[in-house]
Amino acid sequence: MKVKRIESIRVRRDVFGGICYVPHRDDFFALDHESYDFVSSFNGDWSDVPRNRERAASSLAKLGILKVEPSIKEIAYSGPSFVGRFNEIPTVSLPLVVNCFCTAHCPLSCKYCHADDLMVNFRDEESLLDLKNVVSTTNQIDAMVAVITGGDPLTRPDRANFLLENIDWKKALVLDTSGVGDILPLVGILKDRNVHVRISLDAISRLNDETRPINRAYISDGLTSREYAERTIAVCLSNGIPVTVQTVICNRNENESELMDLRDSLADWGVRHWVLHIAVRGGKARAIEELAAKKHLRKRGILPSAEVYALVNNIIDKNHTRKIPLDIRCTDTENTPNSVLLVGSRGDLYTEGLASNSKVELYNCREGRPDKLKANMHFVDKFGHARRYLNWNRWLARGEDLERICYKVPSIGSSEDSVSVVENEAKFSVKNVGRLRSVLVELGFTIEIESFQRDEYFDTSEGRLSELDYVVRLRQTENSVEAAFKGPRSYGEGTYARIELEIPTCGMNETREYLKHKGYEPVWFFEKRRIRFNHPDKSTKIYLDEIPNVGFFVEIEGTNIQISEIQKEISKHISKPEMKNYRDLFLDFQETQGVDRNTIKGAEFGTG
């Protein structure tokens, strides 16, 4: 298989691994370390990939991150945008998105407008100087994506063109529009800069025109906002410009039939990306809510009901069942309003207030102090910022932990055995060795190695390592000698983890002499027969160990989730988790046989 990275994607390393932005999907993905390193190993040129990495490459190609030959079709993905292993939402080190206003003019009077306070007071005197400040502020923010918005960029296409030409080319660009206006003058540069266009459409019926009415002071040709949106969608699709349709769900269109009709139309047109925004209490929506409460109206305000998340889940489920090739994402900033960066049409930087009912100014470009641009960035909620753009919502996750619903990548592996800094394992005594081996084979595991091992453990004469739960071990097999250094254990439910370093050594005698020189002496030896099982698509490692006199045990190494999954599959053939190490298990058994444990120096086959 040949693999390359799609040239237009943006990648950025972070403490948890990294971020990948896929422009043609307008999707961010958080990648764990293994996935990020794998993606970063490719560039825009074709390269061969080892067979044991082909499944990983194919899974990432399905998200549009990599391209493979033979080619593979991208999938519609509506889950949280976390690739690999995550048990919590990471905090991104730098912004993902900055929204910059092209203009404060808007041809619509949307009932729930969230940005009206950044437009009304700034419409009269928009100048080229202001637009240059928008570019300057936007370019100084270390975001991966710049969204050109407003107002509506199609109201002032000359200003939109200026931003498209002058915003830093390292940033991916998105044009955010209602579709009202004329997009044709921008088609050329939209294609040149690989811009993704988001077009707002709340319904395929007249309801769209009720929630998003045309402001006839701008548009007087009699067309409705729905007709304009449909026309702009068609222009983009016919010119190969990637499109997302975004729908704000308020209490007017909080109707499954209405939304499903819209979904069917999008699929018929060839739209592949649909974003559902839950209307929040901000801007005009706040005023409507307050008025409704004041007048004690039965049908209050504009915001959707608490059942809106169940509605969205139902739509996603039906979309999946019918296998409609449409991504569905959902955003809700009600709990984290101060997670969005907004550059106003004059170049000032804002975020949505958390303690106030308006935008919070973070930077005023007219003060002539660009060195202060990032001084107030602490007002922005980085955790909420990641949550917003990585498609995570606790209600939409239906109570599932993130770790269970991440996008799983088959084990990337390598041509050699991988080394992990942390050993996380669970140990179980085996009831039926034959059935256990059969079940592992049925699960796709194969025997990788069968070996006889002799372990020797070392400590100071005072036993300091044992007191602190440290381990220094030499392991001899038929073909190698390996030294291991292990830190103290931390315990979970049936598992324990510890930092571990394993390295090959020159030989047993030489290493014993070296350890003796450093003040370590042998305190225990242990023999066992071990079978290692591997799986072609899983990083989980399973060891079947025969212990002298005691019997058989199985060790499972992997994440807690992986260990739990395997444990369930083999539960009939194993006992409860065993938290003691093999030495203590052997000594306990010998005591039951009347042997004084203090006289035992080791465990070996063929002894009583």
Side-chain angles (χ1 to χ4, degrees), residues 1-5 38 42-43 45-51 53-54 57-58 61 66-72:
M1 174 183 283
K2 292 189 177 295
V3 182
K4 69 177 180 178
R5 198 165 75 197
F38 184 60
F42 300 102
N43 55 31
D45 299 322
W46 289 106
S47 61
D48 293 318
V49 66
R51 183 173 294 277
R53 297 187 176 194
E54 288 182 355
S58 295
L66 296 178
K67 195 174 184 66
V68 299
E69 285 292 346
S71 62
I72 192 167

PDB file of all heavy atoms in Angstrom, residues 1-5 38 42-43 45-51 53-54 57-58 61 66-72:
ATOM      1  N   MET A   1       0.841  -1.203   0.000  1.00  0.00           N
ATOM      2  CA  MET A   1       0.000   0.000   0.000  1.00  0.00           C
ATOM      3  C   MET A   1       0.873   1.248   0.000  1.00  0.00           C
ATOM      4  O   MET A   1       1.891   1.310   0.686  1.00  0.00           O
ATOM      5  CB  MET A   1      -0.906   0.007   1.242  1.00  0.00           C
ATOM      6  CG  MET A   1      -1.728   1.281   1.415  1.00  0.00           C
ATOM      7  SD  MET A   1      -2.720   1.293   2.925  1.00  0.00           S
ATOM      8  CE  MET A   1      -4.054   0.212   2.448  1.00  0.00           C
ATOM      9  N   LYS A   2       0.451   2.246  -0.794  1.00  0.00           N
ATOM     10  CA  LYS A   2       1.130   3.537  -0.804  1.00  0.00           C
ATOM     11  C   LYS A   2       0.291   4.553  -0.030  1.00  0.00           C
ATOM     12  O   LYS A   2      -0.933   4.533  -0.110  1.00  0.00           O
ATOM     13  CB  LYS A   2       1.371   4.013  -2.233  1.00  0.00           C
ATOM     14  CG  LYS A   2       2.393   3.154  -2.991  1.00  0.00           C
ATOM     15  CD  LYS A   2       2.755   3.786  -4.315  1.00  0.00           C
ATOM     16  CE  LYS A   2       3.822   2.969  -5.021  1.00  0.00           C
ATOM     17  NZ  LYS A   2       5.083   2.983  -4.272  1.00  0.00           N
ATOM     18  N   VAL A   3       0.988   5.428   0.680  1.00  0.00           N
ATOM     19  CA  VAL A   3       0.309   6.388   1.554  1.00  0.00           C
ATOM     20  C   VAL A   3       0.956   7.757   1.410  1.00  0.00           C
ATOM     21  O   VAL A   3       2.171   7.867   1.216  1.00  0.00           O
ATOM     22  CB  VAL A   3       0.393   5.950   3.039  1.00  0.00           C
ATOM     23  CG1 VAL A   3      -0.359   6.934   3.934  1.00  0.00           C
ATOM     24  CG2 VAL A   3      -0.154   4.550   3.224  1.00  0.00           C
ATOM     25  N   LYS A   4       0.135   8.803   1.474  1.00  0.00           N
ATOM     26  CA  LYS A   4       0.658  10.164   1.584  1.00  0.00           C
ATOM     27  C   LYS A   4      -0.325  10.995   2.387  1.00  0.00           C
ATOM     28  O   LYS A   4      -1.492  10.625   2.566  1.00  0.00           O
ATOM     29  CB  LYS A   4       0.892  10.792   0.214  1.00  0.00           C
ATOM     30  CG  LYS A   4      -0.363  11.108  -0.586  1.00  0.00           C
ATOM     31  CD  LYS A   4       0.020  11.802  -1.892  1.00  0.00           C
ATOM     32  CE  LYS A   4      -1.200  12.137  -2.736  1.00  0.00           C
ATOM     33  NZ  LYS A   4      -0.832  12.853  -3.980  1.00  0.00           N
ATOM     34  N   ARG A   5       0.169  12.097   2.909  1.00  0.00           N
ATOM     35  CA  ARG A   5      -0.690  13.013   3.654  1.00  0.00           C
ATOM     36  C   ARG A   5      -1.346  13.954   2.675  1.00  0.00           C
ATOM     37  O   ARG A   5      -0.691  14.451   1.751  1.00  0.00           O
ATOM     38  CB  ARG A   5       0.130  13.792   4.675  1.00  0.00           C
ATOM     39  CG  ARG A   5      -0.712  14.438   5.765  1.00  0.00           C
ATOM     40  CD  ARG A   5       0.173  14.877   6.917  1.00  0.00           C
ATOM     41  NE  ARG A   5       0.930  16.071   6.624  1.00  0.00           N
ATOM     42  CZ  ARG A   5       1.989  16.463   7.310  1.00  0.00           C
ATOM     43  NH1 ARG A   5       2.439  15.732   8.299  1.00  0.00           N
ATOM     44  NH2 ARG A   5       2.615  17.565   6.996  1.00  0.00           N
ATOM     45  N   PHE A  38       2.301   9.044  13.624  1.00  0.00           N
ATOM     46  CA  PHE A  38       2.089   8.278  12.391  1.00  0.00           C
ATOM     47  C   PHE A  38       1.731   9.215  11.247  1.00  0.00           C
ATOM     48  O   PHE A  38       2.320   9.151  10.161  1.00  0.00           O
ATOM     49  CB  PHE A  38       0.988   7.252  12.621  1.00  0.00           C
ATOM     50  CG  PHE A  38       0.751   6.332  11.453  1.00  0.00           C
ATOM     51  CD1 PHE A  38       1.751   5.514  10.978  1.00  0.00           C
ATOM     52  CD2 PHE A  38      -0.492   6.279  10.836  1.00  0.00           C
ATOM     53  CE1 PHE A  38       1.537   4.650   9.907  1.00  0.00           C
ATOM     54  CE2 PHE A  38      -0.731   5.432   9.773  1.00  0.00           C
ATOM     55  CZ  PHE A  38       0.291   4.613   9.306  1.00  0.00           C
ATOM     56  N   PHE A  42       4.321  11.158   7.307  1.00  0.00           N
ATOM     57  CA  PHE A  42       4.067  11.239   5.875  1.00  0.00           C
ATOM     58  C   PHE A  42       4.068  12.695   5.421  1.00  0.00           C
ATOM     59  O   PHE A  42       3.777  13.613   6.193  1.00  0.00           O
ATOM     60  CB  PHE A  42       2.724  10.598   5.522  1.00  0.00           C
ATOM     61  CG  PHE A  42       2.629   9.145   5.887  1.00  0.00           C
ATOM     62  CD1 PHE A  42       1.943   8.752   7.021  1.00  0.00           C
ATOM     63  CD2 PHE A  42       3.236   8.174   5.111  1.00  0.00           C
ATOM     64  CE1 PHE A  42       1.850   7.419   7.384  1.00  0.00           C
ATOM     65  CE2 PHE A  42       3.162   6.833   5.460  1.00  0.00           C
ATOM     66  CZ  PHE A  42       2.471   6.454   6.597  1.00  0.00           C
ATOM     67  N   ASN A  43       4.359  12.912   4.135  1.00  0.00           N
ATOM     68  CA  ASN A  43       4.245  14.238   3.534  1.00  0.00           C
ATOM     69  C   ASN A  43       3.383  14.119   2.277  1.00  0.00           C
ATOM     70  O   ASN A  43       2.608  13.184   2.149  1.00  0.00           O
ATOM     71  CB  ASN A  43       5.629  14.832   3.239  1.00  0.00           C
ATOM     72  CG  ASN A  43       6.474  13.898   2.376  1.00  0.00           C
ATOM     73  OD1 ASN A  43       5.954  13.154   1.543  1.00  0.00           O
ATOM     74  ND2 ASN A  43       7.785  13.939   2.571  1.00  0.00           N
ATOM     75  N   ASP A  45       4.198  13.370  -0.664  1.00  0.00           N
ATOM     76  CA  ASP A  45       4.686  12.400  -1.654  1.00  0.00           C
ATOM     77  C   ASP A  45       4.281  10.983  -1.252  1.00  0.00           C
ATOM     78  O   ASP A  45       4.227  10.649  -0.070  1.00  0.00           O
ATOM     79  CB  ASP A  45       6.215  12.473  -1.761  1.00  0.00           C
ATOM     80  CG  ASP A  45       6.687  13.843  -2.223  1.00  0.00           C
ATOM     81  OD1 ASP A  45       6.009  14.439  -3.092  1.00  0.00           O
ATOM     82  OD2 ASP A  45       7.718  14.313  -1.706  1.00  0.00           O
ATOM     83  N   TRP A  46       4.024  10.151  -2.252  1.00  0.00           N
ATOM     84  CA  TRP A  46       3.652   8.767  -1.978  1.00  0.00           C
ATOM     85  C   TRP A  46       4.827   8.023  -1.361  1.00  0.00           C
ATOM     86  O   TRP A  46       5.969   8.183  -1.764  1.00  0.00           O
ATOM     87  CB  TRP A  46       3.232   8.052  -3.264  1.00  0.00           C
ATOM     88  CG  TRP A  46       1.919   8.499  -3.830  1.00  0.00           C
ATOM     89  CD1 TRP A  46       1.723   9.277  -4.929  1.00  0.00           C
ATOM     90  CD2 TRP A  46       0.619   8.193  -3.332  1.00  0.00           C
ATOM     91  NE1 TRP A  46       0.394   9.477  -5.152  1.00  0.00           N
ATOM     92  CE2 TRP A  46      -0.315   8.812  -4.180  1.00  0.00           C
ATOM     93  CE3 TRP A  46       0.152   7.447  -2.236  1.00  0.00           C
ATOM     94  CZ2 TRP A  46      -1.691   8.722  -3.975  1.00  0.00           C
ATOM     95  CZ3 TRP A  46      -1.214   7.355  -2.035  1.00  0.00           C
ATOM     96  CH2 TRP A  46      -2.119   7.986  -2.897  1.00  0.00           C
ATOM     97  N   SER A  47       4.523   7.203  -0.369  1.00  0.00           N
ATOM     98  CA  SER A  47       5.548   6.336   0.222  1.00  0.00           C
ATOM     99  C   SER A  47       4.917   4.998   0.572  1.00  0.00           C
ATOM    100  O   SER A  47       3.717   4.909   0.822  1.00  0.00           O
ATOM    101  CB  SER A  47       6.161   6.981   1.473  1.00  0.00           C
ATOM    102  OG  SER A  47       5.170   7.196   2.459  1.00  0.00           O
ATOM    103  N   ASP A  48       5.742   3.963   0.570  1.00  0.00           N
ATOM    104  CA  ASP A  48       5.262   2.639   0.924  1.00  0.00           C
ATOM    105  C   ASP A  48       5.101   2.538   2.436  1.00  0.00           C
ATOM    106  O   ASP A  48       5.877   3.131   3.197  1.00  0.00           O
ATOM    107  CB  ASP A  48       6.239   1.560   0.450  1.00  0.00           C
ATOM    108  CG  ASP A  48       6.305   1.489  -1.079  1.00  0.00           C
ATOM    109  OD1 ASP A  48       5.235   1.571  -1.713  1.00  0.00           O
ATOM    110  OD2 ASP A  48       7.419   1.380  -1.621  1.00  0.00           O
ATOM    111  N   VAL A  49       4.086   1.786   2.874  1.00  0.00           N
ATOM    112  CA  VAL A  49       3.850   1.603   4.297  1.00  0.00           C
ATOM    113  C   VAL A  49       3.947   0.120   4.606  1.00  0.00           C
ATOM    114  O   VAL A  49       3.496  -0.722   3.818  1.00  0.00           O
ATOM    115  CB  VAL A  49       2.463   2.164   4.703  1.00  0.00           C
ATOM    116  CG1 VAL A  49       1.341   1.372   4.073  1.00  0.00           C
ATOM    117  CG2 VAL A  49       2.300   2.189   6.214  1.00  0.00           C
ATOM    118  N   PRO A  50       4.588  -0.266   5.715  1.00  0.00           N
ATOM    119  CA  PRO A  50       4.669  -1.687   6.070  1.00  0.00           C
ATOM    120  C   PRO A  50       3.283  -2.304   6.206  1.00  0.00           C
ATOM    121  O   PRO A  50       2.311  -1.621   6.565  1.00  0.00           O
ATOM    122  CB  PRO A  50       5.397  -1.671   7.428  1.00  0.00           C
ATOM    123  CG  PRO A  50       6.149  -0.387   7.443  1.00  0.00           C
ATOM    124  CD  PRO A  50       5.316   0.593   6.680  1.00  0.00           C
ATOM    125  N   ARG A  51       3.200  -3.588   5.946  1.00  0.00           N
ATOM    126  CA  ARG A  51       1.902  -4.274   5.966  1.00  0.00           C
ATOM    127  C   ARG A  51       1.205  -4.130   7.312  1.00  0.00           C
ATOM    128  O   ARG A  51      -0.010  -3.988   7.374  1.00  0.00           O
ATOM    129  CB  ARG A  51       2.092  -5.752   5.615  1.00  0.00           C
ATOM    130  CG  ARG A  51       0.783  -6.532   5.543  1.00  0.00           C
ATOM    131  CD  ARG A  51       1.028  -7.932   5.015  1.00  0.00           C
ATOM    132  NE  ARG A  51       1.464  -7.890   3.631  1.00  0.00           N
ATOM    133  CZ  ARG A  51       0.627  -7.795   2.595  1.00  0.00           C
ATOM    134  NH1 ARG A  51      -0.673  -7.718   2.797  1.00  0.00           N
ATOM    135  NH2 ARG A  51       1.091  -7.790   1.360  1.00  0.00           N
ATOM    136  N   ARG A  53       1.014  -1.720   9.143  1.00  0.00           N
ATOM    137  CA  ARG A  53       0.469  -0.378   9.355  1.00  0.00           C
ATOM    138  C   ARG A  53      -0.619  -0.023   8.348  1.00  0.00           C
ATOM    139  O   ARG A  53      -1.147   1.076   8.377  1.00  0.00           O
ATOM    140  CB  ARG A  53       1.595   0.662   9.269  1.00  0.00           C
ATOM    141  CG  ARG A  53       2.664   0.509  10.331  1.00  0.00           C
ATOM    142  CD  ARG A  53       3.646   1.653  10.288  1.00  0.00           C
ATOM    143  NE  ARG A  53       4.620   1.558  11.371  1.00  0.00           N
ATOM    144  CZ  ARG A  53       5.419   2.559  11.735  1.00  0.00           C
ATOM    145  NH1 ARG A  53       5.362   3.708  11.094  1.00  0.00           N
ATOM    146  NH2 ARG A  53       6.274   2.404  12.716  1.00  0.00           N
ATOM    147  N   GLU A  54      -0.927  -0.940   7.472  1.00  0.00           N
ATOM    148  CA  GLU A  54      -1.897  -0.637   6.412  1.00  0.00           C
ATOM    149  C   GLU A  54      -3.288  -0.346   6.981  1.00  0.00           C
ATOM    150  O   GLU A  54      -3.987   0.559   6.511  1.00  0.00           O
ATOM    151  CB  GLU A  54      -1.959  -1.790   5.421  1.00  0.00           C
ATOM    152  CG  GLU A  54      -0.725  -1.891   4.535  1.00  0.00           C
ATOM    153  CD  GLU A  54      -0.834  -3.014   3.513  1.00  0.00           C
ATOM    154  OE1 GLU A  54      -1.836  -3.766   3.560  1.00  0.00           O
ATOM    155  OE2 GLU A  54       0.085  -3.139   2.674  1.00  0.00           O
ATOM    156  N   ALA A  57      -3.379   3.146   8.373  1.00  0.00           N
ATOM    157  CA  ALA A  57      -3.431   4.133   7.293  1.00  0.00           C
ATOM    158  C   ALA A  57      -4.827   4.196   6.684  1.00  0.00           C
ATOM    159  O   ALA A  57      -5.355   5.283   6.407  1.00  0.00           O
ATOM    160  CB  ALA A  57      -2.393   3.795   6.225  1.00  0.00           C
ATOM    161  N   SER A  58      -5.453   3.039   6.497  1.00  0.00           N
ATOM    162  CA  SER A  58      -6.798   3.008   5.912  1.00  0.00           C
ATOM    163  C   SER A  58      -7.810   3.690   6.822  1.00  0.00           C
ATOM    164  O   SER A  58      -8.697   4.415   6.353  1.00  0.00           O
ATOM    165  CB  SER A  58      -7.222   1.557   5.651  1.00  0.00           C
ATOM    166  OG  SER A  58      -6.395   0.955   4.679  1.00  0.00           O
ATOM    167  N   ALA A  61      -7.409   7.326   6.457  1.00  0.00           N
ATOM    168  CA  ALA A  61      -7.859   7.754   5.123  1.00  0.00           C
ATOM    169  C   ALA A  61      -9.379   7.915   5.108  1.00  0.00           C
ATOM    170  O   ALA A  61      -9.912   8.758   4.380  1.00  0.00           O
ATOM    171  CB  ALA A  61      -7.424   6.751   4.069  1.00  0.00           C
ATOM    172  N   LEU A  66      -5.329  10.999   5.586  1.00  0.00           N
ATOM    173  CA  LEU A  66      -4.333  10.414   4.699  1.00  0.00           C
ATOM    174  C   LEU A  66      -4.996   9.996   3.396  1.00  0.00           C
ATOM    175  O   LEU A  66      -6.222   9.869   3.314  1.00  0.00           O
ATOM    176  CB  LEU A  66      -3.677   9.189   5.348  1.00  0.00           C
ATOM    177  CG  LEU A  66      -2.861   9.421   6.626  1.00  0.00           C
ATOM    178  CD1 LEU A  66      -2.322   8.103   7.152  1.00  0.00           C
ATOM    179  CD2 LEU A  66      -1.728  10.406   6.388  1.00  0.00           C
ATOM    180  N   LYS A  67      -4.182   9.783   2.382  1.00  0.00           N
ATOM    181  CA  LYS A  67      -4.656   9.260   1.105  1.00  0.00           C
ATOM    182  C   LYS A  67      -3.896   7.965   0.845  1.00  0.00           C
ATOM    183  O   LYS A  67      -2.683   7.909   1.071  1.00  0.00           O
ATOM    184  CB  LYS A  67      -4.396  10.265  -0.010  1.00  0.00           C
ATOM    185  CG  LYS A  67      -5.162   9.997  -1.301  1.00  0.00           C
ATOM    186  CD  LYS A  67      -4.962  11.124  -2.286  1.00  0.00           C
ATOM    187  CE  LYS A  67      -5.796  10.940  -3.536  1.00  0.00           C
ATOM    188  NZ  LYS A  67      -7.237  11.017  -3.267  1.00  0.00           N
ATOM    189  N   VAL A  68      -4.592   6.932   0.409  1.00  0.00           N
ATOM    190  CA  VAL A  68      -3.948   5.639   0.195  1.00  0.00           C
ATOM    191  C   VAL A  68      -4.242   5.127  -1.205  1.00  0.00           C
ATOM    192  O   VAL A  68      -5.231   5.497  -1.828  1.00  0.00           O
ATOM    193  CB  VAL A  68      -4.425   4.590   1.244  1.00  0.00           C
ATOM    194  CG1 VAL A  68      -4.073   5.027   2.659  1.00  0.00           C
ATOM    195  CG2 VAL A  68      -5.922   4.326   1.125  1.00  0.00           C
ATOM    196  N   GLU A  69      -3.343   4.293  -1.679  1.00  0.00           N
ATOM    197  CA  GLU A  69      -3.513   3.553  -2.936  1.00  0.00           C
ATOM    198  C   GLU A  69      -3.248   2.084  -2.670  1.00  0.00           C
ATOM    199  O   GLU A  69      -2.186   1.757  -2.139  1.00  0.00           O
ATOM    200  CB  GLU A  69      -2.552   4.080  -4.005  1.00  0.00           C
ATOM    201  CG  GLU A  69      -2.944   5.418  -4.611  1.00  0.00           C
ATOM    202  CD  GLU A  69      -4.209   5.334  -5.455  1.00  0.00           C
ATOM    203  OE1 GLU A  69      -4.626   4.201  -5.781  1.00  0.00           O
ATOM    204  OE2 GLU A  69      -4.775   6.380  -5.781  1.00  0.00           O
ATOM    205  N   PRO A  70      -4.199   1.196  -2.951  1.00  0.00           N
ATOM    206  CA  PRO A  70      -5.490   1.441  -3.600  1.00  0.00           C
ATOM    207  C   PRO A  70      -6.360   2.384  -2.758  1.00  0.00           C
ATOM    208  O   PRO A  70      -6.306   2.346  -1.543  1.00  0.00           O
ATOM    209  CB  PRO A  70      -6.113   0.052  -3.695  1.00  0.00           C
ATOM    210  CG  PRO A  70      -4.967  -0.910  -3.515  1.00  0.00           C
ATOM    211  CD  PRO A  70      -3.992  -0.227  -2.636  1.00  0.00           C
ATOM    212  N   SER A  71      -7.147   3.201  -3.447  1.00  0.00           N
ATOM    213  CA  SER A  71      -7.915   4.246  -2.788  1.00  0.00           C
ATOM    214  C   SER A  71      -9.012   3.655  -1.913  1.00  0.00           C
ATOM    215  O   SER A  71      -9.478   2.531  -2.129  1.00  0.00           O
ATOM    216  CB  SER A  71      -8.530   5.200  -3.814  1.00  0.00           C
ATOM    217  OG  SER A  71      -9.424   4.514  -4.651  1.00  0.00           O
ATOM    218  N   ILE A  72      -9.423   4.435  -0.922  1.00  0.00           N
ATOM    219  CA  ILE A  72     -10.479   4.024  -0.011  1.00  0.00           C
ATOM    220  C   ILE A  72     -11.442   5.191   0.171  1.00  0.00           C
ATOM    221  O   ILE A  72     -11.028   6.361   0.173  1.00  0.00           O
ATOM    222  CB  ILE A  72      -9.890   3.575   1.339  1.00  0.00           C
ATOM    223  CG1 ILE A  72     -10.949   2.877   2.189  1.00  0.00           C
ATOM    224  CG2 ILE A  72      -9.273   4.732   2.095  1.00  0.00           C
ATOM    225  CD1 ILE A  72     -10.369   2.147   3.382  1.00  0.00           C
TER     226      ILE A  72
END
